[in-house]
Amino acid sequence: MSRPPKSVLLLGGTEEAYRLAEKIAQEPDWCCITSLAGVTRNPKIPPGELIKGGFGGVEGMAGYLRERGVSALIDATHPFADQISRNAFETCGKTGTPLLRLERPPWPAQPHWQCKSNVKEAARFFQNREERVLLTIGRQEADEFHISPSSYFLVRMIDPPDSPLKISNHDLLLMRGPFSVESERRILRDNRIDWLITKNSGGKSGSNKLIAAEEEGVSVCLINRPELPDGEKVETVDEAAEWLLRL
Ligand code: NAP
């Protein structure tokens, strides 16, 4: 008699998590439960089981792992989703669950870019400036830029904000990537943008805006990644699948 498949909990919300779920779906020994925070309104639905809405912190996640008999956890969340990654690290330490972090490499910062430790620090840099800015940091922290009333912000996000943004002078650009270099250049040109503010998310398609900014002579403000706990880590979907199959 064949053994029932083992379960892996895959913390998602990224393209890599989606592609990994597709790969695991081909593996008869594994069943993949993708977990999404539930903040994006129309997320891409991966194959396998899907849960949404969070666990209620470390205790909740540990309870879930026990209840479902989960054999492994892969944290493939966005590099800036640091709370859930810290929770996963602590939970796996407590429960003895094997944990892997799948994280795409960051973009190498150029010496002429302004690099800031977090969104608040970036906002302070723009506080007394008069600039035309393309802001691509998602919707959750965009409001930090309300302290810069003399600048104009073109705020790109996937879903509209839950409540109107507090930035006095702004327009919303509701779009989902990927964006080509040419379409990024057009956005910068058409809106006479002189600064691009973005998180160091890494990844090929996201880097097109940085290429476009360089080509259009637009200055770049790059927000560095938060520090994450130091666990086992890979950079590609293939490496993550290989790790799982070795368990
Ligand atoms: P976060 O600050 O690290 O997490 C806040 C809380 O949201 C967590 O404590 C957890 O709630 C819940 N959560 C987050 N990701 C989850 C997941 N994959 N499954 C179940 N619960 C999750 O996260 P965030 O920065 O708000 O990001 C939310 C999601 O959006 C992440 O899954 C991430 O991959 C994706 N995302 C984030 C960014 C970004 O810039 N931050 C960009 C693109 C995509 P409980 O404590 O209740 O478990």
Side-chain angles (χ1 to χ4, degrees), residues 1 13 17 58 67 78 86 91 93 122 127 130 134 162 171 173 186 211-212 220 223 227 237-238 245:
M1 227 169 62
V58 171
E67 201 179 292
H78 190 270
R86 281 198 299 270
T91 304
Q127 195 162 14
E130 279 181 43
L134 174 62
D162 297 326
D171 285 305
L173 195 56
R186 206 172 312 120
I211 298 170
V220 171
I223 298 162
E227 290 250 342
V237 170
D238 285 348
L245 297 185

Side-chain angles (χ1 to χ4, degrees), residues 5-13 17-18 20-27 29-37 44-55 61 63-77 84 97 244:
K6 294 182 279 185
S7 298
V8 55
L9 178 63
L10 173 59
L11 302 176
Y18 179 86
L20 183 57
E22 283 189 319
K23 251 184 182 295
I24 299 171
Q26 313 297 320
E27 298 299 336
D29 291 343
W30 284 96
C31 135
C32 182
I33 308 166
T34 296
S35 168
L36 300 178
K44 248 170 119 176
I45 304 297
E49 196 179 327
L50 182 66
I51 57 172
K52 279 193 205 170
F55 301 92
M61 194 187 285
Y64 183 84
L65 296 184
R66 280 192 217 102
E67 201 179 292
R68 290 294 310 264
V70 168
S71 301
L73 198 155
I74 300 180
D75 171 17
T77 55
I84 187 74
T97 310
L244 188 68

Side-chain angles (χ1 to χ4, degrees), residues 2-237:
S2 63
R3 276 182 294 163
K6 294 182 279 185
S7 298
V8 55
L9 178 63
L10 173 59
L11 302 176
T14 56
E15 183 59 28
E16 286 83 356
Y18 179 86
R19 286 196 284 118
L20 183 57
E22 283 189 319
K23 251 184 182 295
I24 299 171
Q26 313 297 320
E27 298 299 336
D29 291 343
W30 284 96
C31 135
C32 182
I33 308 166
T34 296
S35 168
L36 300 178
V39 287
T40 305
R41 280 172 208 153
N42 289 305
K44 248 170 119 176
I45 304 297
E49 196 179 327
L50 182 66
I51 57 172
K52 279 193 205 170
F55 301 92
V58 171
E59 288 310 319
M61 194 187 285
Y64 183 84
L65 296 184
R66 280 192 217 102
E67 201 179 292
R68 290 294 310 264
V70 168
S71 301
L73 198 155
I74 300 180
D75 171 17
T77 55
H78 190 270
F80 281 80
D82 56 332
Q83 183 61 58
I84 187 74
S85 295
R86 281 198 299 270
N87 289 358
F89 188 81
E90 199 181 326
T91 304
C92 288
K94 280 189 173 177
T95 58
T97 310
L99 169 68
L100 182 73
R101 168 88 181 136
L102 166 58
E103 186 179 299
R104 55 181 104 131
W107 297 310
Q110 301 302 304
H112 54 284
W113 292 354
Q114 281 289 333
C115 293
K116 302 294 171 196
S117 311
N118 51 49
V119 173
K120 271 193 173 28
E121 193 182 309
R124 278 198 299 273
F125 176 75
F126 284 88
Q127 195 162 14
N128 296 313
R129 305 177 74 108
E130 279 181 43
E131 312 284 0
R132 291 183 65 83
V133 177
L134 174 62
L135 183 66
T136 66
I137 60 164
R139 70 191 151 108
Q140 295 187 50
E141 291 176 281
D143 269 339
E144 297 290 347
F145 289 87
H146 79 277
I147 61 171
S148 177
S150 309
S151 289
Y152 163 80
F153 291 87
L154 181 60
V155 188
R156 183 161 76 190
M157 51 181 75
I158 297 174
D159 293 317
D162 297 326
S163 48
L165 289 187
K166 296 192 188 117
I167 302 174
S168 51
N169 188 8
H170 80 272
D171 285 305
L172 290 180
L173 195 56
L174 299 177
M175 297 171 95
R176 187 194 288 265
F179 306 102
S180 66
V181 174
E182 200 32 63
S183 69
E184 297 288 38
R185 286 187 70 164
R186 206 172 312 120
I187 290 170
L188 296 173
R189 260 197 321 263
D190 290 355
N191 295 284
R192 296 178 288 110
I193 296 297
D194 35 39
W195 276 91
L196 165 69
I197 305 178
T198 189
K199 290 175 172 173
N200 194 341
S201 302
K204 170 89 183 64
S205 68
S207 69
N208 287 342
K209 56 181 170 291
L210 293 165
I211 298 170
E214 291 287 306
E215 290 179 1
E216 292 292 324
V218 167
S219 304
V220 171
C221 174
L222 189 72
I223 298 162
N224 293 333
R225 292 179 175 189
E227 290 250 342
L228 291 183
D230 204 12
E232 194 173 354
K233 192 160 103 176
V234 294
E235 292 184 345
T236 66
V237 170

